[in-house]
Amino acid sequence: MVSIASDRRVVTALPAIRLWAVTFAAILVAACAPPGAVSTPSAAAPASSSAPSASAAAVGPTCGTDPVKLNAYFETGFDLPFKLSEEFTKQFPNVTWDIKQDQFTNLMSSTPRLLSGDNPPDLIRLPSMVTLVKDGLLKNLDDYVTAFGWDKFPAAQLAQNRVATDGTRGSGSLYAAGLNYSLTGVFYNKKLAQQIGMTETPKTVAEFEDLLSKAKTAALQPIMAWNATASGGGLAFPLQNLMAAYGPTQPINDWIFQKPGATIDTPTNLTAAQHLQQWVEADYFPKDVNAIEYTDANARFGKDDGVFMFNGDWQNAVYDKDMSSNVGFFVFPPGEADGSLAAMSAPLTYGIAAKSKNADCAAFFFNWVATNDKARAIDVAVGGSNPGGPPDLSVPQATAPITNETLTAGAEVAKDNGAMDFIANATGSIFAQGWTPELQKVVGGKQDAAGLLKAVQAEYEKELAR
């Protein structure tokens, strides 16, 4: 049984959006020592908040056979975790779910309170991790890495979800897991693209911008997008793609991972922001983009409103349903011909509360998602993404053509080592307090490209100094 409640909160500050995802191989956060002392359960015992014992390490902890109700917070608008939870209960009927859901932006502000409460979630969608780790609110998963053999997974698959003792991401202990490993890029309406003379996907930014101009001339909406406060600044997607087109990805990841001295205000990022400002001024985005929420943008794109849309492969199932064979995908092109491909590519990240009552069961769920045949098939069919997991497991075949396109594109990005985390994930509040309001000002003509980067960098430094 799955109980689902909508738990949407009004936030007074300009909230954060959800930023998504990223390569078949990067992920988690490592941090300080695990919070608090733990007891040692047996492998067959009902899940508890303690770490797995040495005897359990051979087979890994389980959910046991006694009734277990997992307390979960999922992100509104994404079917994958719901479908996975339904299948999990089919296979393990003693496990039921109490699921709340909320917008990604609200989760960014409410997660610390939820994790520190009297009934903390066993599983929760994580918008960011470093501060939560510093405050001892997330469970250290290192014991589960050993118990389940996650150390045999590709190292890059766990990197983004690791946090080191100095508070930087990319190395150290593991504090979260990915339900799948997504890829972002540009979806396009094949029928509308044909109307503007697009016979092949663009190979440079200049070629893409030429298509945008042709779409505008043809009285079509060049790019469908969202940028409303409730969903967060969706224009961060095209902006980050432009950043990677005109500069290397490593400084972007360094900034997201809070490496000492990292800055988003660089010459190449300024070039990227100037292109985004030009797109705004040329009306390539809807005039009401600051009022469009994520779900509305996707619905409009599915009804032929927009030639292009920057988004992630988690939308594959929806686009395949709404647009069938009329939707295509490409990785955003480089600034110069034959340049390297890059894309935001990350896991759909979930963590376990440090005080979780069912931590072993929650960790068992993570392992099941990565290794179970039916779970991996759901990852591909519903999530539209690579399921990750052990390198010797094959990726299930996709029935939707668009999913096969994104999976193929992901391999190309991996070959160029072009995966990035999301700039919205750099700190717990940078999306709500930095990117979203400043991008909205750019749309409103109250901020320019240079001011955008300086304002976000100032907010970033202020947050790191707290």
Side-chain angles (χ1 to χ4, degrees), residues 281-323:
E281 293 171 348
D283 291 332
Y284 290 160
F285 299 106
K287 288 185 178 296
D288 61 342
V289 67
N290 279 352
I292 300 176
E293 295 190 20
Y294 178 77
T295 53
D296 296 330
N298 284 299
R300 288 170 61 169
F301 182 67
K303 295 177 180 177
D304 295 339
D305 189 3
V307 181
F308 302 104
M309 184 161 181
F310 288 79
N311 213 335
D313 54 11
W314 51 84
Q315 282 296 137
N316 283 355
V318 175
Y319 290 160
D320 183 62
K321 177 183 177 182
D322 292 347
M323 306 172 70

Side-chain angles (χ1 to χ4, degrees), residues 180-441:
N180 64 2
Y181 301 89
S182 297
L183 179 77
T184 60
V186 186
F187 291 88
Y188 65 97
N189 184 306
K190 291 183 177 180
K191 179 179 66 177
L192 300 183
Q194 188 176 36
Q195 290 181 27
I196 61 173
M198 178 176 155
T199 58
E200 61 179 4
T201 57
K203 300 299 186 291
T204 64
V205 175
E207 288 183 12
F208 181 69
E209 291 180 327
D210 181 58
L211 292 171
L212 296 179
S213 177
K214 289 179 178 178
K216 185 67 179 176
T217 300
L220 299 173
Q221 178 60 58
I223 305 173
M224 178 48 62
W226 72 96
N227 209 48
T229 295
S231 297
L235 296 195
F237 273 50
L239 174 60
Q240 188 169 351
N241 276 286
L242 284 162
M243 288 178 175
Y246 288 107
T249 58
Q250 190 58 52
I252 300 171
N253 277 326
D254 286 348
W255 186 79
I256 297 167
F257 293 165
Q258 300 181 8
K259 299 296 184 183
T263 180
I264 201 69
D265 187 11
T266 66
T268 56
N269 287 348
L270 176 59
T271 298
Q274 288 169 338
H275 277 264
L276 184 74
Q277 183 179 350
Q278 291 165 7
W279 293 4
V280 169
E281 293 171 348
D283 291 332
Y284 290 160
F285 299 106
K287 288 185 178 296
D288 61 342
V289 67
N290 279 352
I292 300 176
E293 295 190 20
Y294 178 77
T295 53
D296 296 330
N298 284 299
R300 288 170 61 169
F301 182 67
K303 295 177 180 177
D304 295 339
D305 189 3
V307 181
F308 302 104
M309 184 161 181
F310 288 79
N311 213 335
D313 54 11
W314 51 84
Q315 282 296 137
N316 283 355
V318 175
Y319 290 160
D320 183 62
K321 177 183 177 182
D322 292 347
M323 306 172 70
S324 188
S325 59
N326 191 39
V327 63
F329 176 89
F330 58 88
V331 177
F332 191 72
E336 302 293 335
D338 300 322
S340 298
L341 293 176
M344 296 95 82
S345 172
L348 184 63
T349 304
Y350 276 75
I352 301 172
K355 298 190 297 181
S356 165
K357 299 174 183 176
N358 302 296
D360 280 6
C361 189
F364 179 76
F365 173 75
F366 285 156
N367 190 66
W368 173 86
V369 169
T371 60
N372 181 265
D373 288 345
K374 288 189 176 180
R376 291 170 63 82
I378 291 171
D379 264 332
V380 171
V382 179
S385 303
N386 190 300
D392 58 342
L393 292 183
S394 61
V395 176
Q397 194 67 24
T399 57
I402 187 62
T403 298
N404 287 320
E405 286 189 41
T406 56
L407 290 173
T408 299
E412 295 172 354
V413 172
K415 185 175 70 173
D416 284 356
N417 195 30
M420 302 175 284
D421 198 348
F422 293 85
I423 56 176
N425 293 344
T427 71
S429 300
I430 198 64
F431 200 42
Q433 305 298 336
W435 290 118
T436 298
E438 297 304 326
L439 286 167
Q440 289 177 335
K441 290 177 185 176

Side-chain angles (χ1 to χ4, degrees), residues 104-175:
F104 188 77
T105 49
N106 292 345
L107 285 173
M108 293 190 86
S109 58
S110 64
T111 296
R113 175 178 55 78
L114 295 172
L115 291 172
S116 60
D118 294 334
N119 185 32
D122 301 307
L123 290 166
I124 187 168
R125 171 75 172 100
L126 293 178
S128 62
M129 295 176 12
V130 173
T131 301
L132 300 175
V133 169
K134 288 180 180 178
D135 293 341
L137 297 176
L138 285 178
K139 188 168 185 65
N140 184 307
L141 304 183
D142 284 353
D143 287 323
Y144 297 120
V145 171
T146 302
F148 290 115
W150 295 345
D151 51 351
K152 304 299 191 298
F153 291 11
Q157 202 175 113
L158 304 179
Q160 284 186 35
N161 292 330
R162 294 186 178 279
V163 178
T165 54
D166 64 357
T168 60
R169 291 174 56 203
S171 63
S173 293
L174 190 69
Y175 284 89

Side-chain angles (χ1 to χ4, degrees), residues 24-47:
F24 301 153
I27 307 164
L28 262 91
V29 179
C32 331
V38 294
S39 59
T40 306
S42 66

Side-chain angles (χ1 to χ4, degrees), residues 40-48 50-68 92 94-95 148 358 360-361 364:
T40 306
S42 66
S48 74
S50 54
S53 65
S55 61
V59 294
T62 73
C63 292
T65 56
D66 292 340
V68 176
F92 304 96
N94 65 305
V95 181
F148 290 115
N358 302 296
D360 280 6
C361 189
F364 179 76

